[in-house]
Amino acid sequence: MPAEQLLEAHPEASAGAVDADAVAFARLYGEPLFALPADLYIPPDALEVILEAFEGPLDLLLYLIRKQNFNILDIPMVELTRQYLSYVEEVRSRNLELAAEYLLMAAMLIEIKSRMLLPPRKQAAGEEPEDPRAELVRRLLEYEQIKLAAAHLGELPQQGRDFFPARAWFEPGALPRFADVHAADLQAAWRDILARARLVQHHKISRAQLSVRAYMSRVLKALQGQRFVTFESLFEPAEGSAVLVVTFVALLELAKETLIEITQAEAFAPIYVRLAYRPA
């Protein structure tokens, strides 16, 4: 906005009066600015907006051709050169280094335009005259193909093009896969451990003071007053194998001394024991 319009919008600024409750419309070096300086000058080109950005002379030529629907195989060089030179003049006034390559293309356009004004060179019979625009058309078509391919690549996802996700590879066979264990398997393993433990366990044999005579008296006492006693009833398995052996030896001694009789009615029949009969 020009300074005159700003002064009209803020008449109190021109009068130099500053209200205590006024809001600053700008800050200069951190300080609030309530009034515009009297010598403020805003140049006409202080604010400039550039709507188009070109990547080179071919990009500019292609833009001018496509914008006006020119046939790229039959370019009107007069109009194209005029528009191109007007843009180059605008660029050269601001950035001379950037305008260098544009000036080179401008010289090429002027040369093509001049060659088109001259009569065509004589060609051999059956050959068409050379078109001065052929080289320019070829470069424009190649540039357009490259530009379209670049735009297609730009639409692709950045992942896989500009960066890749981090990945860690490992050998599947390096990690063992253990089978599930069931309760029955644990029980079988425990029984196997117990069986192996019995094979290596130590047995301690202690000497028991057992008297055959004492057990002979014990058997005779058990037979007193009994007509017959079964052979099995004279043994007590709960007293251990040692007592069973001594009891059996006592029975053999009593039978040897004919103090008892061991009888059996028939084969596989029960065995009975009784006191030997002695006549009075």
Side-chain angles (χ1 to χ4, degrees), residues 98-239:
L98 180 63
E101 56 179 339
Y102 287 90
L103 290 174
L104 180 62
M105 178 59 70
M108 181 178 177
L109 293 177
I110 294 174
E111 180 189 1
I112 295 174
K113 176 184 175 183
S114 301
R115 290 173 59 186
M116 293 184 65
L117 296 176
L118 298 175
R121 296 180 182 180
K122 293 183 179 180
Q123 303 291 334
E127 294 184 1
E128 296 182 0
E130 181 182 358
D131 191 348
R133 302 169 295 181
E135 179 63 21
L136 178 61
V137 170
R138 183 189 64 81
R139 294 177 58 182
L140 286 172
L141 291 176
E142 291 180 353
Y143 178 78
E144 186 177 27
Q145 291 179 356
I146 295 174
K147 186 175 181 180
L148 292 176
H152 178 68
L153 291 176
E155 295 175 356
L156 297 178
Q158 292 185 346
Q159 180 176 344
R161 185 192 66 182
D162 298 338
F163 63 90
F164 297 90
R167 296 177 181 176
W169 300 96
F170 65 93
E171 185 66 27
L175 298 178
R177 176 67 174 91
F178 298 103
D180 297 333
V181 180
H182 301 283
D185 299 330
L186 291 176
Q187 293 175 358
W190 173 245
R191 286 194 297 267
D192 183 63
I193 292 174
L194 291 180
R196 284 183 292 168
R198 294 190 186 98
L199 296 176
V200 297
Q201 66 182 353
H202 300 282
H203 299 276
K204 184 178 180 181
I205 300 175
S206 59
R207 183 178 180 181
Q209 300 294 331
L210 298 176
S211 173
V212 177
R213 290 292 177 183
Y215 278 87
M216 290 172 64
S217 300
R218 180 178 176 181
V219 172
L220 293 174
K221 185 178 180 180
L223 295 176
Q224 291 291 333
Q226 301 293 335
R227 186 176 179 182
F228 291 98
V229 176
T230 59
F231 182 79
E232 292 83 0
S233 63
L234 297 175
F235 297 90
E236 294 291 339
E239 294 180 355

